[in-house]
Amino acid sequence: MAINSNQVKSLQGGSYADGGGLYLVVRDSGERVWAFRFTGLDGKRTQMEFARFGDRDSEAGDVLTLKGARDQAREYKVALKRDGIDPRVKKRGMIKGGKTFKEFAEEQYPAWCKGLSDEEEKQWQRSIRDVASLHQLKLHEITTEHVLAALQPIWTVKPITASRTRQRIERLLHAAKVLKHRDGENPALWRGNLKYLLPSPRKLNRKKSKGGHASAPYAKMPAVMTALRYEPGNAARCVEVGILTCARSKEIRLMEWDEIDIDAKQWTCPAEKMKIKGDEKPKPHLVPLSEQALAIIQSMPRGGRYVFPSSHVEEHQPFFPNSLTETIKRCGVKATMHGMRTSFRNWGGESVAHNFRREVLEHCLSHRVGDESERSYWTGEMIERRRVVLQAWADFIKPRKNASGEQPEGKRSKLKLVA
C-alpha cells in the first residue's frame, strides 16, 4: 500500500514501502529518511538512503517531499533498467553536481601524455574537440547512444582517427568508473557493443585508401629525386632527406639539430617520436647518414630548433604532413612519404647486385625483427651494416657527382616535370 502525506509525518519507527522500490525509514529519533531498494548490477539486493523528508524539496536534492521522493525513485529505476546505471553512482553524481565529460577529460589526459611526444597531447585535444556532443554530459549519464551519436559524423570521413577517438573515450570512461564517477558497462566498448552498430574502421580505411600507403616503383625513384632537386623550399629538402633515411613523416618533419651528430654521420631519433606498438619499452633509433643526406642537412641554415622548418609561416615550426605529400605529387608521382619506405624495401629485397640481408633492411625501417625471445638476445643496432645499405640506396636514387661536379653519364635520371 502506498503511503500518503499525512502518514509520512505520523508513522512510528520502522520501514514503510510506498511502491516502485521507494521506502520511508523512520528512525527511533523521529528522523524520516527516503530509501530506494533495488537489485544491483551484481545481482545483489541492496538499499540506498538518498534524502531526508521535508515539507519542501531542496535544490541539492537532500531534502524531498513525498512527491519529490517518488520522482527521484522513478529516475533511479529507469536509469538502472534502461541504461545500466547503478543508483548509488547516479546519487554520487547528483550530490557532487557530477563532472562533465569535458571537465574530466581535461583533468586526466595531460597526465597520461607525460613522457610522450607533444603530438600525443595535441591528438587528445583533437579527439575531445571532435566529440562536442559529449562535452556537457555528466559522466554517469553517458550511454551507448550518446557515444554513437558523437562518433557517427566522423566515422566514415576519417575512420582510423575516429577509431582512436573511440579508444580514448573508452579509456576516459574506464577511469571514470574506477574513480566512482559512473558504474555499469563502458558505453564506448567496441566488442559486444559498438562493433554491431558501426562499420569496421579498418575496412573503411582500406576502401578509402585503396590499398594502403601509395608508393612509387623504385625504378622511378632516381627521377623523383631529380625532380625534387628542382623544387625550391624546405619541404623538398625535408622529403629528400626523408627518402634517403627511410624515415616516417613525423620523424623527419620533427628532426632537430640536437639530434644530428655531423662527425659520426648519424641521426638519433628520440623514442617519443618513434612509432612504438605493444608494451615494448621504446628506445631511440640510430640512423646512419649517407653522404648525400648529410650534405643536404649541412646546407640548411641553422636558425632554430628544427632542421626543416616550415617556409609557409613566420614562426619557427615544422611542416604539416600534407606539405610533404603535396611536394611529392609535384614531382609527378602519386605517393606518400610513408610509401617511399615501401619503395626502399622493394629495392632492397629485389636488388641482385647487393643481396642485402632481410634483418638489415628491416632495421633500416626501424621495424622489430624476430619474436620476443630472439629480440631479447639480439640487442645490436647493426649501424655499419645499415650504413652500407643506406649509402647504396642513396647512390641509386641520387648518385654522387664525380670530380668535375657532374653525375656520371650512365647514372643521370630522366626528368619529367609536372605542373
Side-chain angles (χ1 to χ4, degrees), residues 8 38 50 65-66 76 150 153 195 245 267 275 359 402 415:
V8 173
F38 61 97
F50 61 91
T65 61
L66 175 59
Y76 287 146
K195 181 179 180 180
T245 57
W267 166 34
K275 180 181 179 182
E359 294 87 349
N402 57 27
L415 173 62

Side-chain angles (χ1 to χ4, degrees), residues 14-34:
S15 183
Y16 304 91
D18 182 64
L22 177 63
Y23 282 78
L24 175 68
V25 178
V26 182
R27 297 198 172 100
D28 294 338
S29 63
E31 182 183 22
R32 286 163 165 72
V33 180
W34 297 113

Side-chain angles (χ1 to χ4, degrees), residues 276-329:
I276 305 296
K277 290 184 177 180
D279 298 327
E280 189 166 308
K281 185 179 179 180
K283 60 180 181 179
H285 178 55
L286 304 180
V287 184
L289 296 173
S290 62
E291 297 292 340
Q292 292 89 325
L294 195 61
I296 295 171
I297 291 171
Q298 289 181 301
S299 72
M300 297 299 297
R302 191 162 184 168
R305 173 183 175 184
Y306 298 104
V307 177
F308 304 107
S310 174
S311 47
H312 302 303
V313 292
E314 292 183 4
E315 60 270 22
H316 186 82
Q317 67 181 48
F319 284 98
F320 289 111
N322 287 345
S323 299
L324 306 191
T325 302
E326 290 303 317
T327 301
I328 295 170
K329 285 182 180 178

Side-chain angles (χ1 to χ4, degrees), residues 93-152:
M94 294 175 65
I95 292 174
K96 294 178 181 179
K99 285 191 178 180
T100 65
F101 175 82
K102 191 169 187 288
E103 290 170 344
F104 185 71
E106 291 175 347
E107 287 178 6
Q108 296 298 315
Y109 75 75
W112 296 341
C113 295
K114 285 184 179 178
L116 303 177
S117 67
D118 295 340
E119 193 66 24
E120 184 70 19
E121 189 161 352
K122 291 178 182 178
Q123 289 172 0
W124 267 96
Q125 291 169 355
R126 285 194 289 269
S127 290
I128 302 303
R129 188 170 61 245
D130 281 348
V131 291
S133 61
L134 296 178
H135 286 186
Q136 300 309 314
L137 288 175
K138 301 293 176 59
L139 291 167
H140 64 270
E141 297 175 339
I142 297 175
T143 64
T144 297
E145 288 75 15
H146 291 133
V147 177
L148 182 64
L151 291 174
Q152 279 177 328

Side-chain angles (χ1 to χ4, degrees), residues 332-353:
V333 292
K334 292 183 179 180
T336 65
M337 196 69 224
H338 203 94
M340 295 303 182
R341 290 160 54 84
T342 302
S343 303
F344 162 79
R345 186 62 180 85
N346 288 337
W347 166 81
E350 296 180 11
S351 175
V352 177

Side-chain angles (χ1 to χ4, degrees), residues 27-48:
R27 297 198 172 100
D28 294 338
S29 63
E31 182 183 22
R32 286 163 165 72
V33 180
W34 297 113
F36 181 65
R37 291 184 185 177
F38 61 97
T39 300
L41 300 173
D42 56 2
K44 296 179 180 179
R45 289 288 294 173
T46 188
Q47 175 173 298
M48 175 190 75

